[in-house]
Every structure is written in C-alpha cells, then in structure tokens.
Amino acid sequence: MSQMRVAVVGAGIAGLAFAAALRRGGADCHVYEQAEHLAEVGAGVQLAPNATRLLHRLGLRARLRAVAVAPEAIEMRRWDDGLMLQRTPLGDRCLRRFGAPYYTVHRADLHAALLSQLPPDRLHLGARLVAVTQDEAEARLHMADGRTVAADAVVGADGIHSAVREWFVADWPRYSGQTIYRGLVPAERVPHLLAEPRVRLWFGPEQHCVCYPVSGGRQVSFGATVPAASWEVESWSARGDVAGLRAAYKGWHDDVLRLLDAARNVSRWALHDRDSTDRLGWGRVGVIGDAAHPMLPFQAQGANQAVEDAVVLARCLTEAGGAGAGRDAVRAALRRYERIRLPRTTRIQQQSRANAETFHLADGAAQRRRDTGALAEPGLDRHRWLFGYDAEQAVATTGRSS
C-alpha cells in the first residue's frame, strides 16, 4: 500500500513527535514551520512516564538518557519556612512502578532529539499558513508565499496561537491572571540545590516557584509565577526584569531567594489556556498539543500530553489507510482520536486550571486544609492514572468504529 500523505503545521514538540510517530507507522509526512530558523528557546520540561515510554519507543531512549536528569523526588514546600508538605519518590522507584523514567530536560534538548528523527528534506521553514481548505479528495495548506500543499490529512501542531484551529473553532485564549518568569542558572551558582536531583516547589499566597536540574545536571531551570491583573505587552512573552522578580519574592524561604539571586537573565510569559472543546478534527483536518488543548503549566503535563496526542493520532491515521485515503476514512480516524483523547486531556486541562487556585492559597484555613491533605497523600499511587497511562494501549483497546 502506498503511504498516506500527512502535512503537519508546526515544528515544535507536538509536531516533531507526531512526525516521528507517523514515520514509524509508515506514513509520508512533511512538517511546515513559519519560523525562518529553529532557535534554542524555552527552559525546562518535566517528562513523566506516560510520555517517556512513548519517546523511548520512538527511538529516543539513548538521546534522552544523555541529556536528561532523573530526579529522585518531587518535593512540595511552604513558601516562608520551607516546611515539607509532600514528597513523591521518583528515580528507581518510579521506573519500577511504571516501567519508564521521570525526566527533567532542557526543552531545546528534547526538541533536538525529536528533530533528529526527521529527514532534513521533510522540514520546510519559512512556511506561514494563511488558509486551510479541503474537499472529498484532499486537504490543502495555503502559504503566505503562494505555495499550496496538498495531503490526505492536515494536522495543526502550531500551538496556542494555532492558525489551523482558528479556521474551525471560534474561541480565544483565556488569560489566567498569572505570569511566569522562566530562567536557567548554571548549577555551580546554586550549590544548595545540588545535594540530590529533585523537582522542588514552594507554594505561597498568589504565587509559587518551581526548579529542577536539566542539561545533564549542568543547569537548573526555574519558573516563578507572579500575579498580574492584565498583560499589556503586545507579545505574550518578554524579557523579564530580574530585580522585579526578586522583589516579588521578598520574604520567601532562603532557598528560593538564593536561586533567584543567581539568575542573570529571565523571560516573562503571560499564562493563557483555552476552554475545552468537544472537537479535535474536522473532515481531513485535526489538531494536537497546545493547538488542541492549551493548558496552564500547573500539572507539568503540557509536553507530555502533546506526545500522547502525537502517538495516538499517528496510529489512528496510519491504520485508516494509505495514499488517497477517502475523506470518510480520515474523518473516522479523527473521531477515534477524539474518543481516546478528549476525556483525558479535558481532565488534565481542568485540573491544571484548578491548581492555579490550589497552589496559591492565602495563609489561612483553606491553605492549612490543603497542606494537611498533601501530607496525607504521599507516594506514587495517587499518580497512577497519570503516569501509568499507555497511549498506545488506549488505541489498541478503542476500535475504529466503537
């Protein structure tokens, strides 16, 4: 059977993971990215077992092991005195429990690993999408430079600003009221954080700080939220003011202050998500990752869910047929993808939004109840629904016509 032709919009984590999964399944895919050059951007990413098991199957086990860190635990602490609220063991215990590791990794290292799976002639830069059309025979991408790309299926992996999504869904990003400062610090500047590799979170009124090692332990990535009633900058991200960040965390635990004092440069992002949608595909066109279900980073699952989406949709499409697959077959594949993904991604998206409140409770009775509840729920079992999920098994148990 000749290969199904798939056009992917966006060369981020979702798009490249999807391309790798498509190629493993025997599809012919091309990736179209509006940027003229792929630059090293972002800071750290947490990869839970639900994603790492899939990335290993895509051939990235050795690449990830070379650049990632396997933290020994996730620790949640109070903002002022550093009191431990909860410690979730990771490391070898997580690997034994779920059959895949928990990693922290520089986003650029993850991106480079995924990019290594795509032949250079399958990546097209400087390709800005202006329209999507489709009919019974094919779907088409119309580019700003006049090019038209035809395929059996088109998939938008172009993020929360998705140009593909806007052709089918009339909604807008929702500002959360929170901004986040992100930065990277050389490990030698923060020796107090090097005793054991851990994901550390400090919860406080209206904001929180998280940090963990990346780049094989050579750097520490951090994210520190600061509330803001509005975001006036034209771009959703901007260069941050280190002095302003430090001032926003005045009075916090010394471990936090020493981390922020070690930062030289930070970026500041306005945090947005979108309301859940009941559709992820329209005819021959679908969306994955942040184009499908942008979520706040308060569950550390955005990249993980993008990888799950990529693997599930790739399986659904490649099982639907080869080149020239009819519109009904592609539509059925997208409906199958929706049935598998929407219940899970909606739950995680909503929980991420709820954590924006839970993480940032003011000192008082509600905060004490949260802290008491956290102490009562240690261990890995409470993460079983999240970390133990196998996206490929979910495809296998969801029939094409179920």
Side-chain angles (χ1 to χ4, degrees), residues 222-242:
F222 72 87
T225 68
V226 174
S230 62
W231 183 254
E232 304 299 339
V233 181
E234 182 178 351
S235 171
W236 285 3
S237 65
R239 180 174 294 278
D241 174 42
V242 176

Side-chain angles (χ1 to χ4, degrees), residues 76-106:
M76 299 179 178
R77 296 178 176 271
R78 272 186 55 85
W79 68 280
D80 51 358
D81 58 11
L83 177 69
M84 180 84 75
L85 303 178
Q86 186 180 86
R87 178 182 168 94
T88 301
L90 297 175
D92 288 341
R93 291 180 64 178
C94 181
L95 181 60
R96 290 194 300 270
R97 179 71 176 79
F98 298 115
Y102 195 108
Y103 280 150
T104 54
V105 61
H106 194 304

